[in-house]
Amino acid sequence: MKTAADLALRVRTTSGRVAASLRVRIGEKKGVEWLPRSPAPAATALVPGVPGGSGGRRLLVAVPGEADARIRVQVITADGAFAPQGQDVLDAPGKTVTSVALDGALSGKAAAVRLVADRPILAGFAADRGADVAYGTATPPLGASAPGVVADNRLDSSLSLTAPSGAASVQVTTMNAQGAGTPGGSTSPPDAPSRPSSPHPAPARTPPSAR
């Protein structure tokens, strides 16, 4: 699809069942990434996992309804929560996708973005550095009855946690083909992404030929 720089897609069937996925290439000889599925439109959204470092960072907001949306924007970093100067309120037209550059507000820091709107919206982020690209979307909070799973750790990776409504204690367990490792704990203070390091190494990987 080359008709617009930013798109929001809704897939539904008239009969039967389908499973939809979307892969994006940002340019010739540049990065390719699979887009995560967004939750249903809502008046509040938390977009976690905006990576730190150099490169571009954009907030993407889609308004699926006909009416325009007014959205309050709050950025959450390890230093706390704040409203980005000049970007604390976003007016997004209905039936459009609005892109907001976050480079200046983040200053290279890892972050989450909290949005409160006067009508249901969809939200996510796009991050690029050189030929690499990454996308993320708003996610519901995790709970004791609904644990989360983060896949893959082949390279230098870190886990970012955000507690937007108060301090939270989190149990992190590594897992691979050999089974689960020893759980490690982490406490994330309110309004601050934390990057817990695992106190116990992950179980040794099994070579594919040995499985």
Side-chain angles (χ1 to χ4, degrees):
M1 297 183 180
K2 301 179 180 180
T3 57
D6 300 308
L7 296 172
L9 299 178
R10 180 181 182 184
V11 179
R12 57 182 177 180
T13 64
T14 55
S15 63
R17 298 180 180 181
V18 299
S21 57
L22 180 64
R23 190 177 71 162
V24 174
R25 180 186 295 274
I26 62 172
E28 188 66 26
K29 297 183 179 180
K30 291 190 175 182
V32 177
E33 184 62 282
W34 292 94
L35 266 64
R37 178 184 175 184
S38 175
T44 61
L46 180 69
V47 182
V50 182
S54 61
R57 305 290 185 268
R58 294 187 300 133
L59 173 68
L60 302 173
V61 178
V63 183
E66 297 287 347
D68 299 347
R70 170 154 286 199
I71 305 157
R72 289 188 288 117
V73 181
Q74 186 180 53
V75 172
I76 305 172
T77 71
D79 298 324
F82 62 93
Q85 185 175 7
Q87 298 176 314
D88 55 326
V89 177
L90 172 64
D91 290 314
K95 293 290 187 181
T96 65
V97 176
T98 300
S99 173
V100 180
L102 294 177
D103 308 36
L106 299 185
S107 300
K109 298 177 181 178
V113 182
R114 178 162 46 192
L115 306 172
V116 179
D118 59 358
R119 64 193 68 256
I121 60 171
L122 298 167
F125 73 82
D128 65 82
R129 182 174 60 184
D132 295 328
V133 62
Y135 296 93
T137 185
T139 59
L142 300 176
S145 60
V149 177
V150 179
D152 207 2
N153 189 31
R154 287 176 293 181
L155 302 174
D156 183 18
S157 302
S158 58
L159 176 64
S160 179
L161 304 173
T162 302
S165 302
S169 296
V170 181
Q171 187 180 77
V172 180
T173 304
T174 58
M175 184 181 304
N176 70 1
Q178 296 296 315
T182 304
S186 175
T187 298
S188 183
D191 292 339
S194 71
R195 292 178 173 269
S197 58
S198 176
H200 302 284
R205 291 181 176 273
T206 303
S209 59
R211 294 178 186 172

